[in-house]
């Protein structure tokens, strides 16, 4: 049941006239069909005028870019607006993404996740946007060894409609020893499409993220409060 983590390389060819100056903008985005539209977590729609190899193969990405209208570069991007952009592959990368696992009446998944669980060093920058839960994770692994990161919940036990709260648990398995290399990376998890409707009358939804920090099973948790519309995938 565990999701093997892989990072898709994004690349492009630089022409002689192109420079390595860092772009004016950066964003975490949900990638639309064929990467023709990118839906920023900041609320903008980005329409690339160039192609980055591999971008159309991923769901989520961090992209660096400039506006095609050069005189506007550096100005504040407005929510709800669409912008033509030129992406820079030198500073863009895919974000590992997998669906949230529902543990309700799923003993196989419970056993698979809990029996191999390892501690996580830290979790930061938790939020929900565009139908994905995203957080920055830090954990230890062995160099070049595969590792597994999953997000799960029980759709009956972990959804409290009285307090408008949903609780998720993060599972990590480094699958190798010794674990002596620390990885710091953002991860995204696609939320179940029907989760929003459990809170249809709510003005906000409380999100709790639990994760193991000690070999004895000690846990920490992060919380954030999001708007119901943050749980919707973009309309492609």
């Amino acid at each position: 049941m565990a999701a093997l983590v892989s990072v898709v390389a994004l690349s492009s060819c630089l022409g002689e006239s192109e420079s390595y100056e860092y772009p004016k903008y950066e964003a975490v985005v949900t990638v639309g069909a064929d990467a023709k539209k990118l839906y920023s977590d900041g609320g903008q729609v980005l329409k690339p005028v160039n192609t980055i190899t591999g971008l159309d193969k991923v769901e989520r990405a961090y992209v660096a870019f400039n506006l095609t209208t050069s005189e506007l570069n550096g100005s504040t991007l407005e929510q709800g607006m669409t912008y033509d952009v030129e992406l820079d592959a030198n500073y863009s990368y895919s974000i590992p993404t997998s669906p949230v696992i529902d543990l309700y009446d799923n003993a196989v998944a419970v056993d698979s996740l809990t029996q191999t669980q390892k501690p996580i060093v830290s979790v930061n920058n938790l939020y929900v946007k565009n139908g994905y839960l995203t957080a920055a994770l830090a954990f230890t692994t062995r160099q070049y060894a595969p590792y597994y990161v999953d997000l799960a919940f029980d759709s009956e036990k972990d959804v409290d409609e009285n307090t408008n709260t949903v609780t998720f648990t993060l599972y990590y398995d480094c699958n190798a020893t010794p674990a002596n290399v620390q990885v710091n990376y953002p991860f995204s998890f696609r939320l179940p499409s029907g989760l929003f409707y459990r809170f249809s009358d709510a003005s906000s939804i409380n999100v709790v993220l639990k994760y193991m920090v000690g070999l004895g099973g000690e846990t920490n948790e992060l919380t954030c409060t999001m708007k119901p519309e943050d749980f919707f995938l973009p309309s492609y």
Side-chain angles (χ1 to χ4, degrees), residues 133-154:
L133 183 150
T134 298
L137 312 185
F139 48 84
T140 56
T141 186
R142 190 177 70 191
Q143 191 171 17
Y144 306 123
Y147 53 86
Y148 304 82
V149 179
D150 289 283
L151 189 69
F153 80 131
D154 185 312

Side-chain angles (χ1 to χ4, degrees), residues 64-132:
F65 60 94
N66 286 316
L67 302 180
T68 57
T69 306
S70 58
E71 58 267 26
L72 294 180
N73 276 319
S75 61
T76 301
L77 302 185
E78 298 182 20
Q79 290 190 22
M81 296 295 291
T82 298
Y83 296 92
D84 291 331
V85 302
E86 184 171 2
L87 303 176
D88 192 325
N90 297 293
Y91 304 105
S92 300
Y93 53 84
S94 68
I95 294 176
T97 305
S98 59
V100 173
I101 299 172
D102 189 351
L103 300 180
Y104 175 67
D105 200 23
N106 192 346
V108 174
V110 172
D111 290 344
S112 174
L113 294 173
T114 58
Q115 291 182 2
T116 59
Q117 190 175 191
K118 301 295 190 302
I120 295 174
V121 175
S122 66
V123 181
N124 295 288
N125 302 326
L126 170 68
Y127 69 93
V128 173
K129 285 288 184 182
N130 286 328
Y132 291 83

Side-chain angles (χ1 to χ4, degrees), residues 5 13 23 25 32 64 67 78 85 102 107 109 113-114 123 127 142 156 158 170 181 205 208 210 228 232:
V5 174
C13 297
Y25 302 95
L67 302 180
E78 298 182 20
V85 302
D102 189 351
L113 294 173
T114 58
V123 181
Y127 69 93
R142 190 177 70 191
E156 291 299 314
D158 293 328
L170 195 62
V181 176
I205 301 173
V208 179
K210 295 183 177 181
F232 277 118

Side-chain angles (χ1 to χ4, degrees), residues 156-213:
E156 291 299 314
K157 298 178 181 178
D158 293 328
V159 178
D160 188 338
E161 297 173 33
N162 294 318
T163 61
N164 297 323
T165 300
V166 55
T167 300
F168 299 100
T169 300
L170 195 62
Y171 296 91
Y172 164 65
D173 179 14
C174 64
N175 200 40
T177 55
N180 51 15
V181 176
Q182 182 161 312
V183 174
N184 299 273
Y185 215 78
F187 286 76
S188 285
F189 304 91
R190 186 171 64 256
L191 298 172
S193 57
L195 182 58
F196 163 81
Y197 298 101
R198 303 282 294 273
F199 305 101
S200 57
D201 297 327
S203 59
S204 62
I205 301 173
N206 303 309
V207 178
V208 179
L209 177 62
K210 295 183 177 181
Y211 60 99
M212 192 171 81
V213 295

